Amino acid sequence: MRPTGDRRWTTGGTGGTGGGTGGGTAGGTGAADTAVVAELRRLLREGPFHLALRTALAVRGLPLHRVQHRLAARGIKVGVTSLSYWQQGARRPRHPESLRAVAALEQILELPDGALLRLLTGTGRAGGAGGRPAARSYRALVSVGAAVEQLLDAMELPADGGLHSVGHHERVRIGPAGELCDRESQQIVRAHRDGVDRYLAVHHGDPGCDSARMRVTAYENCRTGRVRHHPEAGVVVAELLFDTRLRCGDTYVFGYGIEDGTGARSTEYVRGFSYAGGQYMLQVRFDEAALPVRCRRFARTGPQAPRTGLADLTPSGRHRAVHLVEQTVRRGILGIAWDWD
């Protein structure tokens, strides 16, 4: 019997979303806005690195050319362009000289020692080359996590596949009987270690589903590899193979879809996030023959946790769709739920 509220769960699998577990709190706030300072503290705990750096610069009110001059005074040569790329998330500092610059930035921006480095290495020391903290386990995100981990073990795949999401647009279609017909995902991911060449997609169907009848289609910049099913849990796990091996810091764009339509009437769609950071957009579109009477977005810290951040959503007229947009996701679960009558 499945726990209430965990009717369906999908995740970036080994990808997850960007972020970290870096610690420390900001000091020397000056006249900075309290809300911005609070956000900086959160970003220094959870990441991602580029947002933490950008926010710290804003709190201190330091333009990049002044930061460059202060680094030069310490004998560290970093261009304004590189600093700009770092705060935009276009590149991640990973070479020894770059990591030395990050350590100096912590002093210049009056941050605790290791606050930024932790978001890059997961240890707070300049010894790694862009590693990330451990992702939240599947068991911590979903009740069928044990089944997912069992499939991963059989495929000899690690729980962390070396990717985190920079952006993810997901579209879900609900059929005339209220069933989940299919979903499509367009993703931008970044590698946090060298040699990554695949993404793991996980789909959990509604009660009564038949995972053996679900179909995975790779349609942009990837191809389908191994596909495994767990009939008892209603889970399908699929490899999406890239055309290249990524280096640490590289980004990649790809798209795929999953056809379902095998389960009972659906009442929610949720996605689990192993890491914090990155943008997420979810759209749910309903068939004209099956329109819900109420839709709401929500968040959860885990599968058994209470729903928080509730907000009503109104389906658009002719398109019969609702959506949510999260600019910077937090670790946990985001979703949309609906009532039929």
Side-chain angles (χ1 to χ4, degrees), residues 17 26 54 89 110 126 130 137 159 175 220 233 236-237 252 269 280 298 328:
T17 57
R54 185 191 309 169
E110 302 176 42
S137 70
E220 184 176 8
V236 59
V237 173
Y252 197 76
Y269 185 89
Y280 177 62
F298 65 92
T328 306

Side-chain angles (χ1 to χ4, degrees), residues 10-301:
T10 58
T11 184
T14 59
T17 57
T21 57
T25 57
T29 61
D33 182 82
T34 303
V36 178
V37 174
E39 178 66 3
L40 174 59
R41 291 188 178 118
R42 185 187 71 79
L43 289 169
L44 290 175
R45 291 193 306 269
E46 302 177 2
F49 166 80
H50 72 281
L51 290 181
L53 175 59
R54 185 191 309 169
T55 306
L57 289 166
V59 167
R60 306 302 168 223
L62 287 175
L64 295 183
H65 70 273
R66 287 181 59 191
V67 173
Q68 182 194 35
H69 291 160
R70 295 193 182 188
L71 288 171
R74 289 170 165 79
I76 301 172
K77 294 183 179 181
V78 177
V80 171
T81 300
S82 293
L83 292 171
S84 179
Y85 283 157
W86 292 355
Q87 70 162 350
Q88 293 172 21
R91 292 181 184 172
R92 287 170 62 86
R94 61 177 184 265
H95 299 300
E97 183 68 7
S98 297
L99 294 175
R100 193 162 75 93
V102 173
L105 282 172
E106 294 171 351
Q107 298 176 5
I108 293 170
L109 299 174
E110 302 176 42
L111 302 174
D113 291 344
L116 292 175
L117 284 171
R118 287 188 185 94
L119 301 180
L120 291 169
T121 67
T123 64
R125 298 167 52 188
R132 301 189 68 80
R136 288 190 67 180
S137 70
Y138 287 99
R139 295 171 192 258
L141 285 173
V142 62
S143 63
V144 293
V148 175
E149 292 173 1
Q150 180 182 341
L151 292 176
L152 293 184
D153 289 342
M155 298 167 75
E156 298 183 345
L157 292 173
D160 176 9
L163 294 171
H164 57 281
S165 289
V166 177
H168 187 178
H169 286 190
E170 189 163 38
R171 291 175 172 83
V172 174
R173 187 168 61 92
I174 304 299
E179 79 283 11
L180 187 151
C181 289
D182 52 57
R183 67 177 179 90
E184 293 186 353
S185 287
Q186 180 81 20
Q187 288 193 244
I188 308 170
V189 295
R190 188 188 305 278
H192 50 259
R193 66 167 178 258
D194 292 334
V196 179
D197 64 354
R198 69 197 62 199
Y199 178 90
L200 198 72
V202 179
H203 181 78
H204 177 205
D206 283 302
C209 69
D210 183 354
S211 64
R213 292 165 51 203
M214 298 175 187
R215 294 292 178 265
V216 181
T217 303
Y219 59 79
E220 184 176 8
N221 298 329
C222 63
R223 64 189 188 280
T224 305
R226 293 175 292 176
V227 179
R228 298 292 184 267
H229 307 271
H230 196 297
E232 295 79 12
V235 170
V236 59
V237 173
E239 284 182 318
L240 298 170
L241 306 177
F242 301 159
D243 297 328
T244 184
R245 286 184 178 272
L246 306 180
R247 296 177 301 173
C248 182
D250 286 349
T251 56
Y252 197 76
V253 178
F254 66 101
Y256 68 97
I258 296 181
E259 296 178 22
D260 190 338
T262 67
R265 190 163 66 165
S266 184
T267 57
E268 68 176 23
Y269 185 89
V270 299
R271 173 163 284 273
F273 296 93
S274 297
Y275 296 113
Q279 183 195 73
Y280 177 62
M281 186 282 290
L282 168 63
Q283 176 181 277
V284 180
R285 184 170 182 172
F286 299 92
D287 189 276
E288 187 175 8
L291 298 178
V293 296
R294 185 183 188 187
C295 297
R296 289 185 296 176
R297 64 167 287 164
F298 65 92
R300 273 181 172 154
T301 57

